[in-house]
Amino acid sequence: MSGWRKKERLWGLLFIGPNLLGVTLFFILPALFSFGLLFTDYRFANPDMNFVGLGNLKRLFHDELFYLALKNTALFLASVPVSIGLAFLVALALNKSVYLRSLLRAMFFMPYITSGIAIAFVWMLLFQPSKGPINQLLRAVGIENPPGWFSTTDTSMLAIDIIWIWFMLGYFMIIYLAALQELNSELLEAAKIDGARGWVTVRRIIWPLVSPTTFLLLVTGLIMSIKTFGIIQAITQGGPGNSTTIVSLYVYRTAFSYYEMGYASAISWVLFAIILFITLIQWFGQKKWVHY
Amino acid sequence: MKRNRWMSASLVLALTVSLLAACSGNGGNGGEVNSGGNGKTETESSSGGKKTEVIKLKMWGGVPVEAGPQAVVDAWNAEHPDIQVEYERFVNDDAGNMKLDTALTTGQGADLFVNYAMPRLKQRIDAGQALDLSEFADYNIDEQMGRDASQWKVDGKYYGMPTTRGISFMWLNKDMLDAAGLPIPPADWTWADLREYAKKLKTDATWGLLRHEAIFMNPFNSVLESVGVTRADGTSNLDHPLLKEGFSTWHDMMFADKSTPTYGEQMTSKMPVDTMFLKGESAMLDAGGFIFRNANNLTDNPRTFKIAFATTPRMSADQQGAKAAGGLGDVLSINAKSANKEAAWQFLKWYADGGMLPMAAGGRIPASKSVNGDEAAALLLKGVEDKYDIDSLKKVVFGQFETFVESLPQQVVDIRKAEYEKYLLQQAELDASLAEMAEKHNEFLKQQP
């Protein structure tokens, strides 16, 4: 290796050093530590800790609330593809010359940079079943019994999904906009000459061309969503009747309300396995629909 | 190309690992860093140039510093130049308690701390963080604080000193009661009576009854105290007939009488029940002493009506030996690892025996018999004497009742809530909810070591 290359490598290490140190200290080591806790009955601050082997996992597989949380997580994650689809359409519209384009772009992106707690409170007001603007509107257009949103177990997750779709939309849209700008205009022109119009261009040319972006958004969007719980904790605390308790919230509750660190570690590692599994499926499934 | 794929695969792995870490590493939301050490600093004393040691203590409590604690520590610090106390506020919720527990575990300067719930105190005892106070022989907690103090004993010992006295009780809009020709209810009234009162007091513009979320379960806990959390055979008692009666009465007040807001309405709008009551939007408010902070603040909550008080009703005449929820509270412990236990004990005794009086204005009534009850009452009522019905206030707020300390583990509290919510939102039948509650409680009981 030449001296120049060596030097370059050293600089590279120096640049990523601080970040690597942070990740090691605050992510990797705690993660490994929690893997150790998985096999214990450790309760926070209690020095009396016993090795319980796979006891926590056994308990988990008989835990009804865990299965409910899994189901809720699946319902919650359904918002991600919807949001990605909408973001694609919005990005398409805003990529063309429309009035107030920059303003609209900024508006769609605003939620993503707004404080989660503020979002939670505003949406809680909007969704309020009797006096909230959403149900007022629904009543005004003739729907006599609008949904109870957060006040029923059937609609609370739907309301959370709507908030989440709206929240993620801006981020997805910005990434799509970048992808659309990068599109090879020759391909589009060729398609046009061949007689492709409007929707056909979108479906046959643009959508396949941005498929790597879609794939990226799907993977990162699912991972980002699966670990979210702040917004749910702020609005419903997992209720009513545990209908919005997703796995990450259950981890939080077990660890920081019940102090059962061993059991919480077990849940988070199972969650990790699930995320890894989903991601691998997507990874291998991409060959079928992602075009580089 | 191959190498590239490996890189991306490991990237995916790294992403997922960091996700997990984010889940588990969310703990001590930025623990407070304290100068720590042994908590002592040396200062030159002005007189002889001799060095005297000033002991520094830190007390953690959940009351906002301006609502009394600052006045308390200022008074102490002025009297005791050699022992200086600093107050650190933690919010009494999961995150706040976690912050305190982290400080205790890592030795970050918490010499004294207040426990607000039995399960938390027990946790801290198990973790070896709360000092067994029996090592100090110069103070008799039972004698000073009265019979109910012993409810805070764990395995026969005090690991903290209960300092306040207060039960949950009903706030009544006396003017509305008078207008409806209703007397202040007797101490042994029941939920059936309450329902009648609410029905009669309800108008188009005002509720008959509002209940504060913090005490929703107090009457139910009182029943559990009477009949036992578990049956003789060790199984759950959460489906006891008296509890069923209570839930059903409450439900009917929401949906049949419409004298109290529905559960869904109250929860989804985060109803500010205390300010609503103080604005005259409800005739009754089921709450406790913590409302005084707002009720005495006539600038923000101006009112013309008088407030009277009543005890929280029993669930029914069948509830034998009903006790009032609350009793003694604000249990002050000394950190077992504190370097200055003796100084902390000095402060603790002073605090309990009257030092805490500035907090009475916010509704925290000292429990110690060394504190003159009239003095506390005077502080509480300073400037607002004519806004209360003094007779019922003395009987209820300062009355002597048999009390109990709520001690259900958080897991059971959550199990119960998830099920009764479904009933009160009219999404499940009461019997099914109660059966589910009991079944989950039984599962929980089986897991316990």
Side-chain angles (χ1 to χ4, degrees), chain B residues 74-88:
Chain B
D74 284 350
W76 166 272
N77 290 343
E79 276 176 48
H80 302 83
D82 54 332
I83 303 174
Q84 294 290 296
V85 179
E86 193 190 333
Y87 182 82
E88 172 85 31

Side-chain angles (χ1 to χ4, degrees), chain A residues 37-232:
Chain A
L37 287 182
L38 161 62
F39 304 103
T40 70
D41 64 353
Y42 178 59
R43 297 177 60 84
F44 179 67
N46 192 337
D48 181 26
M49 175 162 89
N50 303 300
F51 180 78
V52 294
L54 296 177
N56 283 324
L57 288 173
K58 266 187 219 150
R59 178 178 157 197
L60 186 62
F61 293 127
H62 292 106
D63 185 347
E64 266 180 57
L65 187 50
F66 174 68
Y67 289 110
L68 178 64
L70 273 183
K71 188 188 113 196
N72 290 336
T73 307
L75 290 175
F76 178 58
L77 291 184
S79 62
V80 174
V82 177
S83 187
I84 290 177
L86 284 175
F88 175 66
L89 296 179
V90 172
L92 268 186
L94 292 184
N95 194 39
K96 301 231 177 73
S97 38
V98 287
Y99 285 111
L100 304 173
R101 189 166 66 164
S102 324
L103 180 73
L104 282 172
R105 276 183 195 173
M107 275 169 60
F108 276 106
F109 197 65
M110 279 305 271
Y112 195 70
I113 51 168
T114 309
S115 138
I117 301 295
I119 288 174
F121 272 85
V122 170
W123 277 99
M124 236 161 68
L125 291 178
L126 292 176
F127 274 129
Q128 209 281 332
S130 58
K131 295 182 279 288
I134 291 180
N135 276 4
Q136 298 265 21
L137 185 79
L138 290 177
R139 278 194 204 95
V141 299
I143 297 170
E144 269 178 40
N145 283 311
W149 304 115
F150 294 123
S151 70
T152 75
T153 51
D154 314 324
T155 50
S156 51
M157 189 47 96
L158 177 65
I160 295 277
D161 275 338
I162 293 175
I163 299 174
W164 197 243
I165 288 168
W166 169 85
F167 176 77
M168 297 292 273
L169 188 70
Y171 169 75
F172 293 153
M173 178 203 70
I174 288 288
I175 308 279
Y176 266 131
L177 272 175
L180 291 176
Q181 308 270 322
E182 292 290 307
L183 282 190
N184 189 340
S185 56
E186 284 170 21
L187 282 175
L188 296 177
E189 266 166 44
K192 208 170 182 181
I193 293 166
D194 286 345
R197 292 280 175 277
W199 188 237
V200 177
T201 320
V202 172
R203 218 162 62 91
R204 301 271 182 211
I205 314 287
I206 301 180
W207 179 249
L209 281 176
V210 298
S211 61
T213 307
T214 310
F215 176 67
L216 171 85
L217 292 181
L218 206 56
V219 172
T220 53
L222 285 176
I223 292 181
M224 254 154 73
S225 307
I226 216 167
K227 70 179 197 180
T228 297
F229 65 86
I231 213 163
I232 299 182

Side-chain angles (χ1 to χ4, degrees), chain B residues 147-299:
Chain B
R147 191 173 49 159
D148 283 349
S150 63
Q151 292 166 4
W152 286 99
K153 275 186 176 171
V154 176
D155 301 328
K157 289 176 183 163
Y158 284 112
Y159 290 87
M161 193 192 299
T163 56
T164 58
R165 174 189 306 286
I167 54 169
S168 62
F169 47 79
M170 289 281 170
W171 292 66
L172 309 170
N173 184 322
K174 181 104 185 354
D175 296 14
M176 287 187 191
L177 258 72
D178 290 346
L182 291 169
I184 293 173
D188 63 344
W189 67 324
T190 64
W191 264 61
D193 302 331
L194 173 70
R195 185 175 173 186
E196 283 309 307
Y197 261 68
K199 225 195 246 177
K200 285 180 188 151
L201 287 163
K202 173 197 94 154
T203 68
D204 290 342
T206 58
W207 294 105
L209 169 74
L210 290 174
R211 304 197 65 217
H212 197 286
E213 199 191 334
I215 52 80
F216 267 178
M217 284 299 110
N218 280 8
F220 297 85
N221 292 336
S222 171
V223 169
L224 286 176
E225 177 71 19
S226 300
V227 302
V229 177
T230 51
R231 298 197 181 94
D233 61 357
T235 56
S236 172
N237 220 352
L238 292 185
D239 55 355
H240 192 276
L242 272 175
L243 297 174
K244 182 178 172 182
E245 191 181 332
F247 282 120
S248 139
T249 308
W250 192 17
H251 176 276
D252 290 347
M253 288 175 77
M254 294 173 190
F255 296 101
D257 304 351
K258 299 187 178 5
S259 58
T260 196
T262 61
Y263 183 83
E265 181 71 21
Q266 177 162 359
M267 286 310 165
T268 50
S269 56
K270 302 252 160 188
M271 219 174 243
V273 289
D274 40 358
T275 37
M276 286 170 73
F277 171 77
L278 294 170
K279 271 192 210 160
E281 292 172 15
S282 173
M284 299 186 280
L285 171 69
D286 188 2
F290 50 94
I291 305 295
F292 276 111
R293 217 189 290 172
N294 295 334
N296 286 350
N297 180 350
L298 294 175
T299 339

Side-chain angles (χ1 to χ4, degrees), chain A residues 5-18:
Chain A
R5 275 203 83 106
K6 239 185 210 167
K7 212 171 173 188
E8 197 174 53
R9 184 165 281 193
L10 182 71
W11 276 108
L13 279 176
L14 274 177
F15 274 118
I16 61 163

